[in-house]
Amino acid sequence: MPFVSISNRQNTVRATTAKLAAIAALSVVLSACGTAGNSGGLGDLAKSDSTAVIPALNTPIPIGKSPTPTMTPTNTPVPSPTTLPSPTPLPYTDDWPAELAAVADTMIDQEEGVFGVVILEESGDVLYSRNSTMPFITASLYKLILMADILMRVEQGELTLDQPITLQPDFFEDGEAGDTYFTAEEVGGTATIRELLYCVGDYSSNVSARSLLQFTNWESMTQTARQSGMERTYFFVNPDDLAEWPPAPGPDSSQEEADLARQFVEENFQASGPVNLTTSKDMAAYQLGLIKGTVVSPYVSAQILSILKEQEIDDRIPALLDDRFNFAHKPGNLIHAVHDFGVIFTPGEARVLTALSEGLIWDGRAHELIQRLALIATGQIDIPPISEAAMRDDGVVQVEFGPPKDAREIVRDPEVIIGIPTPTSAPDTSPEA
């Protein structure tokens, strides 16, 4: 499969002067919102002739060299999904045609860059994997662990959902520019933690992320990731400090792909400083945990799943699927790194899909490939080719949001955003208390 050099490629870099150390660390990289794969078990991907179950999500995993944790945040606003004729949908079945693994491999083999893909059944059985343990820059997917960490503190009574937070100038681009949700006019205003959680999950708001980061730190987020079954997710690291660096090919990857992943990560580190890393296996474990209630706790899992069902950026996983399917998903973008991760609720059992990519030439092709991987994940065999329109704008694309919503009204509806009661309340910290 062809690969090309990605030297001199840099993510948009910006340094802010946030008052809080965690927020300053987050802002460094803020910019915008596999050999053939195998089907089988994530625990032993070499055993492609048998189906295995992903390891228990609650088992703590050692952190290797215990690196200092990272944020590689992004502003997620990319191309409109390609409009294609809608074939007559076949009756849905939970049976997944095994030949679709070869279809996925063939499509990925035609692309420049490296792709990390995992498709799971609701049971945790692995239908397909490619580069499942290869490191990927997280882009905005780090915000999922941030959400879990903050909701854990809500559940424990440290914070409340309706607690107002001042939107400090340091939380905005250059102290004044708006983002995908908040406008420049809202500098100095307030938003509740409930609203910030909604905005960081569904609009990939960087203002929201910075506002929430003041209540946690990289060490806590690393522990939250481990508690949720994520073995190789790291925050704010020098990749050379990791025990598993440089990355080695696994049963569902090649040395060529490992070399490209290493090159992309190291070039990002050289250009922007410490990076956030994850794997498609880790993100699949997180998704499965949302269904099973093991991302921190049943309460935390339910809240995140509820928020992600309201996702505003629907240009990848949902784009080609018909109205028989519903979604709870979160995309992420950096220049030449395009991701989406989600639970697909089918007429039968749920499916989980993680699709990560980096070292791309045409970001639009990655968007369209992820759309087609969603068709494959749901067992559909009529897969359209990637369009020529995917190669445009020097390879970089801008995200487009779904139909406009009155976001603030949605946030106020606890049945939409927070579907079950908060079990505890934070102590009163007002001066009179």
Side-chain angles (χ1 to χ4, degrees), residues 164-172 175 181-183 186-192 195-196 207-208 211 214 408:
I165 306 301
T166 300
L167 302 177
Q168 304 285 355
D170 290 339
F171 302 160
F172 289 75
Y181 183 86
F182 291 102
T183 66
E186 292 175 282
V187 175
T190 62
T192 64
E195 185 172 8
L196 295 172
V207 171
S208 296
S211 300
Q214 64 183 300
R408 285 165 176 76

Side-chain angles (χ1 to χ4, degrees), residues 33 75-78 180 201-205 310-318 329-333 340 367 399-402:
C33 106
N75 261 349
T76 305
V78 196
T180 54
D202 290 344
Y203 282 80
S204 204
S205 165
E310 297 294 319
Q311 181 58 246
E312 284 286 331
I313 307 166
D314 286 335
D315 59 2
R316 272 152 273 186
I317 286 177
H329 71 109
K330 172 75 178 73
N333 285 78
D340 204 359
H367 278 82
V399 173
E400 294 184 2
F401 291 88

Side-chain angles (χ1 to χ4, degrees), residues 18 166 320 406:
T166 300
L320 299 182
D406 187 341

Side-chain angles (χ1 to χ4, degrees), residues 4 6 9-11 32 77-79 111-113 115 264 316 332-339 357-368 386-399:
V4 300
I6 56 170
R9 222 180 259 152
Q10 299 182 359
N11 294 327
V78 196
E111 299 303 312
E112 305 286 355
F115 290 80
F264 187 80
R316 272 152 273 186
N333 285 78
L334 287 173
I335 295 174
H336 303 313
V338 175
H339 312 321
S357 64
E358 61 191 10
L360 305 172
I361 299 300
W362 300 102
D363 292 8
R365 289 188 65 88
H367 278 82
E368 291 200 13
I386 291 176
S387 71
E388 292 185 4
M391 296 181 287
R392 61 188 181 194
D393 298 333
D394 297 322
V396 180
V397 291
Q398 291 298 310
V399 173

Side-chain angles (χ1 to χ4, degrees), residues 124-196:
D125 292 344
V126 181
L127 297 175
Y128 176 80
S129 73
R130 175 117 173 196
N131 292 313
S132 60
T133 59
M134 202 62 64
F136 286 82
I137 297 285
T138 66
S140 282
L141 297 187
Y142 84 88
K143 294 169 182 171
L144 295 159
I145 296 88
L146 174 62
M147 293 169 69
D149 195 273
I150 295 299
L151 281 162
M152 175 185 67
R153 296 170 191 275
V154 170
E155 184 176 26
Q156 293 173 347
E158 295 178 27
L159 303 170
T160 65
L161 291 172
D162 295 320
Q163 184 174 331
I165 306 301
T166 300
L167 302 177
Q168 304 285 355
D170 290 339
F171 302 160
F172 289 75
E173 289 283 335
D174 302 319
E176 59 183 18
D179 72 352
T180 54
Y181 183 86
F182 291 102
T183 66
E185 289 71 29
E186 292 175 282
V187 175
T190 62
T192 64
I193 288 179
R194 183 191 301 271
E195 185 172 8
L196 295 172

